Amino acid sequence: MTVPDRYRYAPFDDGPDPLAPPVDLRAALDRLGRDIMDGSSPRSALEELLRRGAGDTAGLDELTRRLWERRSRIQRRNNLDGTLREVRELLERAMEAERRELFPDPSDDARFREARLDALPPGTAAAVQELSTYDWRSEQARADYQRIRDRIGQELMESRFQGMKQALSEVRPEDVERIRAMMADLNDLLLAHLRGDDTDARFAEFMRRHGEFFPENPRTVEELIDALAARAAAAQRMMNSMSDRQRAELQDLLSGAFGDPRMAEQVATLDANLRALRPGEDWTSSARFRGKDPLGMGEGAQAMADLAEIDALAEQLAQSYPGARLEDIDLEALERQLGADAVVDARRLAELERELRAQGLLERAADGSLRLSPKALRRLGETALSDVVGALRSRRGARDTRRAGAAGEPTGASRPWRFGDTEPWDVPRTIRNAVVRGRPVRIDVSDVEVVETEQRSRAAVALCVDTSWSMVQDNRWVPMKRTALALHHLVRTRFRGDDLQLITFGRHAATVDIGTLTALEGVWEQGTNLHHALLLAGRHLRANPDAQPVVLVVTDGEPTAHLEPDGEAVFNYPTTQRTLRKTLGEVDRLARLGASLSVFKLGDDERLARFVDIVARRGGGRVVNPDLDGLGPAVVGDYLRSRRSR
């Protein structure tokens, strides 16, 4: 009989989780696109995306908020008098046990001892020091007093060597001697390194003899110094954070660590060596602790180390320094402070940034700045066009625009499919060919026939969009850009024969590509120079004499500027008759070219309404007054209508 295999399940920690869902680049790109179209630079938009996060992934701002919350919790809940409080409690226990032992004894020696206990100085450290020569009658009191010395030694060691307190849970004389020998060797090693001696062999010998005290297992003397200096600096910051009275008491107590004054001397020498070797560590700052939970010296040093680690992580998450990258985030430190979930979020944010670059959605311009790549613009165009198509299809009686822009009108015949054909399949003919070829019936490429179409006429399309400040101020900026993206994507993917030109007009007009328009920032500039825009539109139409001329204008204000023959843009508000005459003159010229001119009027400006009515009468055009959500469907629908009319 075969014994079934045994399986063991455990967390996957060898690189990225292979079962984790892929990063949703489309949603991230849509958000990037919205921010860029709203006026942010691609770099700022990417930084904002990483700050806010994506989907279920927390952003850098949320991780930073959790860090500051943890920092506040450490300071709000704790105070630094734990060692002093514990020593005081042990001292009181020892004295109480000693008095119980002395009370039944009627001798003068017992009364003398009681008097000595009553005359102890009020300070904890002074009382402990005074009792260093006292001959305890009570064994319980003697043990409690020895625990005071051991606890001070444990806390002193824990403040410099993380984990030492647990290792010294039961202090024996031989343990104290081992620690003293380790400290002496360590200071000799650091002093030699400070002199510039070659300490590689010495370090190896030191780790062979004393490696048990360093669970972090440093590989070089520099790594050892880094770890020790960070801990010693945290201990010093803890001392700085105490009151003057607490600090003085604790320093007096430390001189009796383990009952051996040489131990405190070795620690002082260690601190001096580390300060000389790592002067850049923070040895001088402090923090305010205002809670009720007492921390011992080791716990206080760890709290100060945590605060420093939180500050470093916050700087890494801010990504505000030159050359900042998400890979700079210390994931091990992040897990220590916020847990494994925060590490997952940080990794996914880094993966998102890498994928946006790796998949070619962001690229560097010649000046070194980031910009959306053509691939990204195509994806944004797909999304914008999809939204427009959905809006068009929701209208009663609207035709299915998903097939708009096929190669031509059906002739009623079909022909074999050729590579590159975009015409729809003739399904009955295709299936018939497969059946005639024999059983079993499987469709082969050779069976496919497509509907034969006649080539439609070309169109020269000029989309003129208003970029004056009022478009930004009245929240029309992004809808305008999404409309341009949708139309651009439709023309480039489904009406490739058409020639679309994008024209922006504020004080001046200019022809732009879709990338420039998408990244265009709103600028405070007075003037709506439709005259200049129509001049450029006419130039585009005349450059395509064999194409059907189509002009689409998106604006929210009457013309208030025109172009003089010398190229100067003249602005007047309210508008002047000269500006109106020159603008309508271009409308007449476009009408003589046979152009279909449609104006998409945004807002309810009365002057604009009167002007576009004149345009409609003079140019035989069309006026549409859509809301912002309907702007894209209105422009794309009008473009499709103009094609169907041909």
Side-chain angles (χ1 to χ4, degrees), residues 485-612:
L485 266 171
L487 183 61
H488 178 271
H489 190 72
L490 178 63
V491 171
R492 288 293 179 265
T493 59
R494 304 185 187 182
F495 292 102
R496 294 185 181 90
D498 288 0
D499 192 349
L500 171 67
Q501 185 164 85
L502 302 174
I503 300 171
T504 61
F505 61 97
R507 178 71 67 92
H508 291 84
T511 59
V512 297
D513 59 33
I514 189 62
T516 301
L517 177 59
T518 302
L520 188 66
E521 298 183 23
V523 178
W524 169 252
E525 181 182 58
Q526 291 180 307
T528 304
N529 198 338
L530 181 59
H531 168 242
H532 192 187
L534 295 180
L535 276 170
L536 297 178
R539 181 188 302 170
H540 176 58
L541 301 185
R542 284 188 287 273
N544 293 274
D546 60 333
Q548 178 73 18
V550 178
V551 179
L552 309 171
V553 177
V554 177
T555 184
D556 69 346
E558 65 176 332
T560 55
H562 66 270
L563 204 65
E564 290 290 347
D566 61 359
E568 180 186 359
V570 178
F571 165 74
N572 287 286
Y573 184 84
T575 190
T576 63
Q577 288 297 316
R578 179 169 175 78
T579 295
L580 292 176
R581 281 198 303 271
K582 290 182 77 66
T583 304
L584 290 172
E586 288 308 312
V587 172
D588 294 341
R589 291 186 182 88
L590 292 176
R592 288 195 290 273
L593 291 174
S596 167
L597 193 154
S598 296
V599 179
F600 300 88
K601 178 174 74 73
L602 301 179
D604 299 316
D605 184 76
E606 293 182 2
R607 296 191 189 90
L608 175 60
R610 290 195 295 269
F611 172 75
V612 295

Side-chain angles (χ1 to χ4, degrees), residues 256-531:
F258 296 125
D260 185 349
R262 294 175 299 174
M263 196 66 70
E265 293 172 2
Q266 290 287 1
V267 171
T269 302
L270 173 65
D271 288 351
N273 288 333
L274 292 173
R275 277 178 179 259
L277 288 164
R278 292 293 184 270
E281 285 284 348
D282 181 7
W283 300 91
T284 59
S285 69
S286 61
R288 183 183 174 211
F289 291 80
R290 54 190 183 276
K292 296 182 179 180
D293 296 339
L295 298 178
M297 280 188 67
E299 295 167 330
Q302 184 58 52
M304 298 304 297
D306 285 341
L307 294 181
E309 192 167 73
I310 287 171
D311 291 343
L313 283 169
E315 183 178 5
Q316 294 163 15
L317 292 175
Q319 296 281 288
S320 57
Y321 50 92
R325 300 178 306 163
L326 288 184
E327 286 80 1
D328 297 341
I329 298 173
D330 186 340
L331 297 181
E332 292 182 359
L334 190 63
E335 183 170 10
R336 283 193 295 271
Q337 300 304 328
L338 297 183
D341 289 346
V343 174
V344 171
D345 289 334
R347 281 178 172 158
R348 295 199 71 182
L349 289 174
E351 182 184 359
L352 174 62
E353 183 184 35
R354 282 195 305 271
E355 287 299 310
L356 284 170
R357 297 177 189 272
Q359 294 197 21
L361 300 178
L362 293 171
E363 64 181 16
R364 293 228 173 254
D367 61 358
S369 62
L370 277 180
R371 67 183 180 190
L372 291 175
S373 69
K375 181 178 180 180
L377 290 171
R378 284 195 299 272
R379 289 198 184 181
L380 289 175
E382 287 174 9
T383 302
L385 181 58
S386 176
D387 293 342
V388 166
V389 167
L392 284 172
R393 293 185 65 208
S394 66
R395 297 179 179 180
R396 183 175 299 174
R399 67 189 289 265
D400 185 354
T401 56
R402 289 177 298 173
R403 293 177 56 189
E409 299 294 344
T411 64
S414 64
R415 59 174 176 77
W417 176 85
R418 296 189 297 270
F419 179 77
D421 285 342
T422 59
E423 291 82 0
W425 284 18
D426 186 329
V427 177
R429 300 274 307 179
T430 298
I431 295 177
R432 177 182 175 279
N433 292 340
V435 171
V436 170
R437 197 162 44 79
R439 293 182 182 277
V441 178
R442 289 197 179 99
I443 296 178
D444 187 75
V445 173
S446 61
D447 299 325
V448 178
E449 293 199 21
V450 295
V451 176
E452 190 174 62
T453 59
E454 294 177 332
Q455 184 65 33
R456 290 174 177 168
S457 59
R458 292 178 62 245
V461 185
L463 175 62
C464 306
V465 292
D466 189 344
T467 56
S468 60
W469 180 250
S470 60
M471 292 286 286
V472 179
Q473 182 175 310
D474 296 328
N475 298 319
R476 296 162 182 157
W477 195 250
V478 174
M480 173 270 290
K481 290 184 176 183
R482 287 183 63 84
T483 297
L485 266 171
L487 183 61
H488 178 271
H489 190 72
L490 178 63
V491 171
R492 288 293 179 265
T493 59
R494 304 185 187 182
F495 292 102
R496 294 185 181 90
D498 288 0
D499 192 349
L500 171 67
Q501 185 164 85
L502 302 174
I503 300 171
T504 61
F505 61 97
R507 178 71 67 92
H508 291 84
T511 59
V512 297
D513 59 33
I514 189 62
T516 301
L517 177 59
T518 302
L520 188 66
E521 298 183 23
V523 178
W524 169 252
E525 181 182 58
Q526 291 180 307
T528 304
N529 198 338
L530 181 59
H531 168 242

Side-chain angles (χ1 to χ4, degrees), residues 125-136:
V128 170
Q129 189 171 1
E130 178 71 21
L131 291 170
S132 62
T133 59
Y134 182 79
D135 183 18
W136 298 90

Side-chain angles (χ1 to χ4, degrees), residues 102 105-115 134-135 137:
L102 294 173
D105 186 355
S107 67
D108 291 341
D109 180 63
R111 303 291 79 76
F112 177 76
R113 289 173 180 272
E114 287 176 341
Y134 182 79
D135 183 18
R137 285 268 197 96

Side-chain angles (χ1 to χ4, degrees), residues 146 149-150 153-154 157 168 170-184 213 256-263 266:
Q146 185 57 43
R149 293 185 163 187
D150 292 345
Q154 289 171 333
M157 291 298 102
L168 295 174
E170 293 184 9
V171 181
R172 297 167 299 180
E174 56 268 29
D175 295 328
V176 176
E177 185 57 34
R178 281 174 40 243
I179 294 172
R180 193 198 62 75
M182 180 273 291
M183 292 288 294
F213 295 105
F258 296 125
D260 185 349
R262 294 175 299 174
M263 196 66 70
Q266 290 287 1

